[in-house]
Amino acid sequence: MHHLLLTLALAFGGAAPAPAQEPPAEERAGEVLVESYKDALKTWKQDYRLAFGREEREALDRRHPAVAFLSRFEARGEAGDGKALLWATRLVDDARRSAAERKALKRRSYTRLVAEYGGRPWFREVLLAVDEDRTDLGWETAADLLSQVAERGVTSGLRAEALWRWGGLLIDTEDPPQRAAGLAIWERLFAEHPRTVQGARARAEYDLEKHLGIGSVARDFEATDLQGRTFHLSDYRGQVVVLDFWGFWCPTCRRALPHLVRLAERHADEPFAILGVNSDTDLESVRSQVKGQHVTWRNAFDGGPKGPLARAWRVRSFPSVYVLDHEGRIRARNVHGEALDRKVADLLAELDEKP
């Protein structure tokens, strides 16, 4: 389940910094529903860990508690419970809805959250969620929502957070003008909010980002794979490499796995490799799940979403994908599906033409 559930659970406890105020009645009533869901999810996770084989796990996936609870959270959101609306954006990833339904719910919910709940003490979590759901929202929609808060957020802290995520979102695109616009937003951030965490982070990563741009030679790293063996990114020079920062906790990452399996099979006899950087926290669980999901490519274990490799590569959302050519240059970022297929095929064709 998405790691934001933990953060949202803290928000329900009032841990987010904000002026002391009594939560609305709708939100207080929604706490009961959240506790019920958390209990059901805990039981489901225990059953999933004990499940034997792929068929048992697939059956459990169909009975994920989000399937039964999502409509209840949606109803509470419609009744004015903003936190329930935010929870609904998380549950829909596991609720067996179609891709079109999932994306529509997220666009509808985030648009309303930004328009109506910007003054609530937990609203910072909306910015994190919008950033992490950029794939389902589409970067233009996500950028528009973040820009609204950057310009009109009710506190300087929210405006700084929105500038940080808005700039990073644009930087992560392949389009040079958008990347330049993202760097300009970061310049604005550390100029207008120099004493904030976000301003300091943008200043620290501004130069690093220039080493992660399209055409840059990727920095080498040393990592340990799931079998405990050490390797380096540079070991794969001479091959086209898809470097995928992902985790089983991330629903979007899980949905991408079948496509990556097909991509690996299609180019099995060519100078091509997928390298995963797994961001789960339980190594034994990862070892078990990769077998059931037919993940045959090498994976580094980073120990969590904020592991050392994720930090070094400025990963803020999952999955984050880099495509490297045979010389180790970054040729694409955050391409998925058919766009990823085309980029890999193009780079392999380039390599084949080399004398």
Side-chain angles (χ1 to χ4, degrees):
M1 188 59 194
H2 204 289
H3 80 280
L4 264 179
L5 291 177
L6 175 60
T7 311
L8 289 171
L10 291 174
F12 265 86
Q21 54 182 288
E22 185 71 13
E26 294 85 358
E27 292 180 12
R28 293 198 302 273
E31 293 176 8
V32 177
L33 179 59
V34 170
E35 291 305 316
S36 296
Y37 175 71
K38 288 162 62 179
D39 288 343
L41 182 61
K42 181 179 179 180
T43 300
W44 181 87
K45 285 183 174 180
Q46 290 171 344
D47 292 341
Y48 196 89
R49 279 193 290 268
L50 295 173
F52 181 77
R54 186 174 182 178
E55 288 185 4
E56 238 182 276
R57 289 195 179 97
E58 288 178 347
L60 280 167
D61 282 337
R62 291 191 290 271
R63 299 198 301 273
H64 193 287
V67 175
F69 275 84
L70 176 58
S71 59
R72 298 166 67 183
F73 278 98
E74 287 184 280
R76 291 217 55 80
E78 289 299 320
D81 183 346
K83 285 183 179 178
L85 201 61
L86 184 54
W87 274 86
T89 66
R90 304 299 94 209
L91 268 65
V92 71
D93 287 322
D94 293 303
R96 314 290 293 183
R97 298 283 181 93
S98 69
E101 290 174 315
R102 182 182 72 247
K103 293 174 182 179
L105 182 147
K106 290 183 178 183
R107 291 192 188 101
R108 183 171 65 246
S109 299
Y110 288 131
T111 298
R112 184 175 171 192
L113 284 163
V114 168
E116 300 179 18
Y117 295 96
R120 300 301 301 146
W122 43 265
F123 183 73
R124 189 183 300 270
E125 303 306 326
V126 175
L127 302 180
L128 173 60
V130 166
D131 192 3
E132 294 202 338
D133 272 333
R134 58 173 72 176
T135 300
D136 277 348
L137 289 172
W139 74 265
E140 291 178 325
T141 298
D144 179 61
L145 292 168
L146 293 169
S147 70
Q148 291 180 46
V149 182
E151 302 298 345
R152 300 190 295 275
V154 297
T155 68
S156 61
L158 287 175
R159 293 193 295 274
E161 183 73 24
L163 284 168
W164 161 249
R165 297 189 178 281
W166 179 23
L169 178 67
L170 297 184
I171 288 168
D172 284 343
T173 68
E174 272 201 276
D175 183 58
Q178 294 296 342
R179 285 177 52 77
L183 289 170
I185 289 168
W186 274 7
E187 291 171 359
R188 173 184 166 189
L189 169 57
F190 52 71
E192 294 181 3
H193 305 275
R195 297 184 180 181
T196 63
V197 171
Q198 296 84 1
R201 189 182 299 169
R203 183 177 291 277
E205 294 196 10
Y206 184 85
D207 290 332
L208 173 62
E209 175 54 39
K210 293 182 178 180
H211 295 285
L212 294 173
I214 305 301
S216 301
V217 176
R219 290 180 173 178
D220 197 13
F221 62 73
E222 180 180 282
T224 302
D225 66 18
L226 302 183
Q227 288 71 43
R229 298 172 301 196
T230 300
F231 70 97
H232 295 82
L233 177 60
S234 57
D235 296 340
Y236 292 85
R237 288 286 172 87
Q239 300 182 58
V240 174
V241 175
V242 170
L243 182 63
D244 181 28
F245 291 84
W246 72 289
F248 283 110
W249 59 265
C250 162
T252 306
C253 303
R254 296 200 304 272
R255 287 194 295 270
L257 284 178
H259 190 95
L260 291 175
V261 169
R262 292 192 294 273
L263 183 64
E265 291 173 347
R266 187 181 310 129
H267 298 294
D269 297 324
E270 298 178 82
F272 170 73
I274 300 175
L275 288 180
V277 179
N278 179 273
S279 58
D280 290 288
T281 56
D282 186 334
L283 178 57
E284 290 304 319
S285 176
V286 174
R287 286 172 174 164
S288 172
Q289 291 187 77
V290 294
K291 294 178 183 177
Q293 297 293 333
H294 303 291
V295 177
T296 58
W297 52 91
R298 198 170 207 173
N299 272 272
F301 183 69
D302 211 22
K306 296 183 179 180
L309 292 178
R311 291 198 306 272
W313 282 69
R314 207 183 60 76
V315 173
R316 293 187 315 279
S317 64
F318 291 83
S320 282
V321 175
Y322 290 82
V323 185
L324 314 182
D325 65 18
H326 66 287
E327 295 179 338
R329 293 187 180 277
I330 298 170
R331 299 290 296 272
R333 292 167 41 142
N334 293 320
V335 287
H336 307 278
E338 293 182 359
L340 176 60
D341 294 347
R342 288 193 297 271
K343 180 57 69 173
V344 168
D346 289 346
L347 292 178
L348 286 171
E350 281 185 23
L351 181 54
D352 193 48
E353 292 171 2
K354 294 288 181 182

